[in-house]
Amino acid sequence: MPIRQHLGRLQAWWSSAESSTKVTAVLATIVLFAVIVGTAFWAATPDFQPVFTGVSESDSAKIATLLKERGIPVQVSSSGSVVSVPSGQVQQARIEMHQKGLPSSGAPGYSRLGQTGIGQTQLQEQTTLRIAMEEEIQNTIERLDPVESARVHISVPKEAVFAADKQEPSAGITLKLSPGARLSSEQVQGIVHLVSYSVDGLKPERVSIVDSEANPIWESGHSTTTGVGTVGARRKAELEYAERMRRTLQQSADEAAGQGKTKVLVHAELNFDSVERKSVEYTPLGERTGAKVSEASSVERYGPPAGGGSAPTYPAGGIDSSGRAYQNENKVANYNINEERRTITEAPGDVERLNVSVLIDKAVPPETVAKIKSAISGLIGADNQVRNVICEQVEFDKSEEKTAEAERAKLATAKRFEAALKYSPLLLLLVVAVVLARILGRNIGQSAALPQPALAAIGSGYSGSESGSGSESGMAVTIGEDGIQRYAPSPKAPDPVLSLLPALGDHEPEPELINIIQFTIDKPDKMAALLKQWLKRE
């Protein structure tokens, strides 16, 4: 069977292999076995995923203990705020821990009020109520996604008898954000409003917020009024405008001088005054065109009375030369004209002042500097009054860039090492298997190709090949590493040359005769041609 044949070949190789080869094979087998076992353990290691985050150290200790009792592997972060279990057991762990009331919802809050005893003073009751309010607000803030933990302190002044002595409450908040999380201005304002509306009489201006490193997030005195009317909103709009302008100009400068050879700085001041302009424009119309608004007429006549009587007569001047009476008639007509009224409201945000400073590396040629200044001046519409551009060449400090490049290279190396470490067990297993296969194959091949030990016929007149036989008084032996031993040849097909020798008699054949017989066997056609020529001669 093939398996037995392979085992037989392996056993034969092992018997004929040298000691160093055997040691190498044994070590390779041990390493291969160790790699297989390590790979199996590595593959069996579960993939842990967080099941609870932002928990207190006491809750994480309780959760870890209960999970271990239920046979669920658990890992707790160094800070104690993150508890992880294998990915396939996340839901099971959450269900079991929620049944045990873990993790706890946070500080006691208003449930603290039910734990008060009898006989408390008014000051103790007020203090307990304040602490419960702080804890309730703290629990609410901690439920926000960016916030990992929070502490709230509220200062409520005593009630004053006189209104002039009345003081307003204030609040201080400390936030610990989740790794990599940041709060936007809207989120900060939301927390401020949440706290101010939770405490009676607390105004947003009386709230202060800092992070876990004491950096201010919201300073007391800030107004939450939105729009461009507040100083904070105005400054924010100016910074946003300057940043947009800086990115545009920086891109143009980089295209001209190259990446990292320029630094653009922009300072902008915007005018937030709202201006309303009104204008009326009249357009005349042609004669007797347009809509008639009013019309007035008057008639004046002079002449003698119609009949006699005592009525006075008009002077003769009222009659013309022909003797007719005088008459004057006037008509006035008023028409509408084209009237256009305009009310223009200029939106706030006009640029009141814009200063652009460009720092350029000394390695940049002067003609390129001039082109950069010209391009930036054209982009912002520089007029050397409201909009100004200044370009200066300085020697850039490349140490920070080199450090950043080294950090990037270190990070890339770490990623490659992590990837190599991840797949190293499989790679090592493959390498060991290939090396072991090559060693075994080479040694087995060498064992099969070893020459047969020299044969000699002791007591005979010659040493023959492995199939040769000496005289009847001789004995076939092998001369090898183990000395002289008797040789027992395996049965093989008879040699055609030696099979013809007994017909010649008992005497020892001559070497020439053996050569002739061998030539006849190898090339019978040439031997036949030679015999024909001999016969023709005779």
Side-chain angles (χ1 to χ4, degrees):
M1 297 177 64
I3 297 179
R4 292 183 179 179
Q5 292 178 0
H6 290 304
L7 291 177
R9 293 181 62 186
L10 182 61
Q11 185 177 3
W13 169 80
W14 183 263
S15 301
S16 60
E18 298 179 357
S19 300
S20 58
T21 305
K22 293 180 180 180
V23 173
T24 303
V26 171
L27 292 178
T29 304
I30 294 174
V31 172
L32 179 60
F33 179 76
V35 171
I36 293 174
V37 174
T39 305
F41 277 106
W42 171 73
T45 303
D47 180 20
F48 283 85
Q49 290 186 359
V51 63
F52 295 112
T53 58
V55 297
S56 61
E57 294 183 0
S58 59
D59 284 348
S60 63
K62 294 177 183 179
I63 292 172
T65 302
L66 291 176
L67 291 176
K68 289 180 181 179
E69 290 177 356
R70 286 163 174 75
I72 300 177
V74 60
Q75 289 182 352
V76 181
S77 63
S78 58
S79 61
S81 60
V82 180
V83 180
S84 302
V85 298
S87 56
Q89 296 176 303
V90 172
Q91 297 300 329
Q92 178 186 355
R94 286 178 179 173
I95 293 173
E96 293 186 359
M97 292 302 101
H98 285 317
Q99 290 176 351
K100 297 293 183 180
L102 292 174
S104 59
S105 58
Y110 287 127
S111 61
R112 181 185 296 272
L113 301 178
Q115 303 172 2
T116 57
I118 302 176
Q120 284 189 339
T121 63
Q122 183 178 5
L123 178 60
Q124 291 176 336
E125 290 179 353
Q126 292 177 353
T127 303
T128 303
L129 179 61
R130 178 181 57 80
I131 294 175
M133 185 183 303
E134 292 174 349
E135 293 175 344
E136 283 294 329
I137 298 175
Q138 171 183 320
N139 293 337
T140 303
I141 295 176
E142 287 179 349
R143 293 181 180 275
L144 302 177
D145 289 338
V147 180
E148 184 173 323
S149 61
R151 289 295 303 273
V152 179
H153 301 278
I154 300 175
S155 175
V156 180
K158 296 181 180 180
E159 295 184 1
V161 178
F162 300 101
D165 299 334
K166 185 177 180 180
Q167 297 181 355
E168 296 180 348
S170 61
I173 305 172
T174 303
L175 299 179
K176 181 180 180 181
L177 302 180
S178 302
R182 297 189 63 180
L183 291 174
S184 63
S185 58
E186 291 79 9
Q187 290 174 318
V188 174
Q189 290 184 8
I191 294 176
V192 171
H193 282 294
L194 173 66
V195 177
S196 62
Y197 283 116
S198 300
V199 181
D200 186 20
L202 179 61
K203 296 180 180 179
E205 294 82 1
R206 302 282 295 173
V207 178
S208 179
I209 303 177
V210 298
D211 61 11
S212 57
E213 297 179 356
N215 297 318
I217 299 177
W218 179 272
E219 297 180 359
S220 59
H222 280 188
S223 174
T224 59
T225 305
T226 58
V228 297
T230 61
V231 177
R234 288 186 178 186
R235 187 55 185 160
K236 180 181 177 181
E238 289 175 346
L239 292 176
E240 291 178 351
Y241 176 81
E243 179 61 21
R244 290 196 303 269
M245 183 64 68
R246 187 199 66 80
R247 288 198 297 265
T248 302
L249 300 179
Q250 184 68 61
Q251 183 178 2
S252 301
D254 290 342
E255 291 177 354
Q259 191 73 25
K261 295 184 178 181
T262 60
K263 182 70 175 180
V264 179
L265 305 175
V266 177
H267 173 76
E269 295 180 7
L270 305 180
N271 185 0
F272 293 96
D273 296 337
S274 180
V275 180
E276 185 177 88
R277 304 180 185 274
K278 294 183 178 180
S279 62
V280 181
E281 183 178 355
Y282 299 97
T283 303
L285 299 175
E287 185 179 358
R288 293 184 180 182
T289 59
K292 185 183 292 186
V293 177
S294 61
E295 184 178 1
S297 63
S298 63
V299 178
E300 185 179 7
R301 295 186 179 90
Y302 296 96
S310 59
T313 59
Y314 292 98
I319 303 174
D320 58 8
S321 58
S322 60
R324 294 179 300 182
Y326 173 77
Q327 180 176 332
N328 184 18
E329 182 177 357
N330 293 323
K331 290 184 178 181
V332 178
N334 294 323
Y335 296 88
N336 269 339
I337 61 176
N338 287 342
E339 179 182 356
E340 184 178 358
R341 298 179 180 270
R342 294 181 180 179
T343 301
I344 302 175
T345 302
E346 296 181 357
D350 190 19
V351 178
E352 194 171 61
R353 181 173 296 277
L354 181 63
N355 295 327
V356 179
S357 300
V358 186
L359 301 178
I360 305 175
D361 193 5
K362 282 188 175 181
V364 178
E367 55 271 15
T368 305
V369 175
K371 292 179 180 179
I372 292 174
K373 184 175 182 179
S374 176
I376 292 179
S377 300
L379 286 173
I380 68 172
D383 53 6
N384 296 327
Q385 294 180 356
V386 177
R387 303 167 184 261
N388 303 310
V389 179
I390 299 176
C391 293
E392 292 289 342
Q393 281 192 280
V394 297
E395 187 174 356
F396 279 18
D397 184 10
K398 303 297 181 61
S399 59
E400 184 176 355
E401 182 180 352
K402 294 180 179 178
T403 303
E405 184 66 25
E407 291 294 331
R408 287 193 294 269
K410 187 183 298 183
L411 181 60
T413 303
K415 288 183 177 180
R416 289 194 296 267
F417 178 76
E418 183 180 356
L421 186 63
K422 181 178 180 182
Y423 297 103
S424 59
L426 297 177
L427 182 61
L428 183 59
L429 176 62
L430 180 61
V431 171
V432 171
V434 171
V435 172
L436 184 58
R438 288 177 62 88
I439 292 175
L440 294 176
R442 183 171 59 251
N443 288 310
I444 292 175
Q446 290 177 356
S447 177
L450 286 176
Q452 296 294 334
L455 300 179
I458 299 177
S460 62
Y462 73 99
S463 61
S465 63
E466 60 181 8
S467 60
S469 61
S471 62
E472 294 181 355
S473 61
M475 179 180 63
V477 297
T478 60
I479 304 175
E481 296 180 355
D482 299 332
I484 301 175
Q485 297 179 358
R486 184 166 181 170
Y487 175 69
S490 57
K492 293 184 178 179
D495 193 334
V497 177
L498 299 179
S499 63
L500 297 175
L501 292 179
L504 301 177
D506 296 335
H507 62 279
E508 182 178 349
E510 298 293 337
E512 293 81 2
L513 180 59
I514 295 177
N515 292 335
I516 293 173
I517 296 174
Q518 184 65 46
F519 179 80
T520 304
I521 295 173
D522 294 338
K523 299 179 180 180
D525 51 346
K526 293 186 179 182
M527 180 56 70
L530 182 60
L531 292 176
K532 288 180 181 180
Q533 290 180 2
W534 287 349
L535 293 175
K536 288 181 180 179
R537 290 179 183 176
E538 296 178 354

